[in-house]
Amino acid sequence: MLRLAVLISGRGSNLQSLIAYTAQDTVPAMIVKVLADKPAAGLALAEAAGIETETIDPSLYPDRASFEESLITAIDKAKVDIICLAGFMRVLSPSFCRRYLGKIINIHPSLLPQYKGLNTHQRALDDGAKQHGCSVHIVTAELDDGPIVAQHQVAVNTADDQDRLAARVLAEEHKLYPAVIGAIAAGLITIRTDQGQLRLDHRSGAIPGHIPGMEQHMQWPLPTCPFHSKEMAEK
Ligand code: GAR
């Protein structure tokens, strides 16, 4: 059983997609802890699912190192295999990233390496991008820079504004993150560290835009996520 901690800062729709996915008996992964850096709305989703939560507010600590020490204590106590950042809007220090190298993954609303950082949807629109999307990547000390595990593309429509585009990308995020977790839990993707180097292996070879083997994995029943309803995707 793959043990996950999920770190959030906001509404937690990606958290909800992971909760719904891992709640299935056929999925050998479970969320054992949800951590937030503020009283995030998403905490209520975890509590409703009976998952232990904790808020660690950096403003109550004298510096980032002591805030991260508390985070480390909570994570280590929960004995997790993977730390999923799901809208956790805080840059983690290089030493934190090194400590958990190969164990922290993040979902980002762009086709990395394009549009690292914030306001990704508006920046894609401003550039006249034809394709946009989301990425799950391994977290390293550089912001939004680690090896890309998988991406889903979204076509940009001429009628798109930031909100419409964001809604369609979010719907893809809700499919992509559970699929990555499922593939890791099933051993289709392995992340290893070798003398400080990351090794990302896809059992059935690299397929751009998809997790290798994901089609196979996708046969597992994926739950309908309340956040990617047809209405929302078409908004
Ligand atoms: C998601 O779109 C996620 O990709 C993004 O924040 C949103 C969180 O939404 N993350 C980042 O921008 C990280 N760089 P959620 O709280 O509803 O999951």
Side-chain angles (χ1 to χ4, degrees):
M1 193 56 101
L2 194 73
R3 293 170 65 85
L4 311 173
V6 183
L7 273 57
I8 62 167
S9 298
R11 73 191 150 181
S13 71
N14 276 289
L15 166 66
Q16 179 59 39
S17 73
L18 291 173
I19 290 173
Y21 179 66
T22 54
Q24 298 172 103
D25 293 341
T26 47
V27 176
M30 64 190 290
I31 302 170
V32 293
K33 183 101 189 186
V34 172
L35 287 153
D37 61 343
K38 55 174 72 152
L43 287 168
L45 301 169
E47 280 152 19
I51 299 166
E52 196 181 303
T53 64
E54 189 172 338
T55 303
I56 301 177
D57 178 351
S59 71
L60 303 177
Y61 293 84
D63 50 30
R64 181 162 76 169
S66 49
F67 159 69
E68 287 186 350
E69 268 312 312
S70 272
L71 212 50
I72 287 168
T73 303
I75 289 168
D76 289 353
K77 202 168 147 219
K79 297 195 185 345
V80 301
D81 302 302
I82 298 282
I83 301 160
C84 300
L85 308 185
F88 186 66
M89 305 309 272
R90 187 157 291 279
V91 177
L92 295 162
S93 71
S95 70
F96 186 96
C97 294
R98 269 195 303 274
R99 181 187 180 99
Y100 295 111
L101 186 67
K103 290 189 165 192
I104 315 176
I105 58 176
N106 180 42
I107 189 148
H108 183 75
S110 78
L111 295 175
L112 290 170
Q114 291 175 346
Y115 311 122
K116 298 174 180 180
L118 300 174
N119 300 320
T120 58
H121 310 300
Q122 191 57 55
R123 285 158 62 206
L125 288 170
D126 292 347
D127 282 355
K130 298 270 181 286
Q131 295 290 333
H132 188 41
C134 52
S135 309
V136 170
H137 70 99
I138 302 173
V139 173
T140 57
E142 302 296 321
L143 182 70
D144 299 330
D145 195 56
I148 294 163
V149 181
Q151 296 180 313
H152 274 184
Q153 288 197 349
V154 170
V156 181
N157 301 331
T158 44
D160 273 340
D161 59 14
Q162 185 176 201
D163 291 346
R164 285 174 197 224
L165 185 56
R168 289 207 313 288
V169 171
L170 193 64
E172 291 305 313
E173 294 184 38
H174 296 157
K175 292 183 241 170
L176 184 63
Y177 220 171
V180 168
I181 291 302
I184 293 173
L188 296 171
I189 291 176
T190 55
I191 305 164
R192 291 203 183 87
T193 50
D194 185 10
Q195 296 175 347
Q197 297 290 308
L198 275 170
R199 279 201 50 185
L200 176 64
D201 291 316
H202 295 177
R203 204 173 75 173
S204 48
I207 302 170
H210 291 280
I211 303 170
M214 186 189 280
E215 290 78 6
Q216 199 181 328
H217 157 72
M218 282 301 215
Q219 291 168 8
W220 294 7
L222 274 175
T224 307
C225 173
F227 295 93
H228 53 86
S229 64
K230 198 158 172 286
E231 293 71 24
M232 185 168 177
E234 285 171 355
K235 212 165 79 176

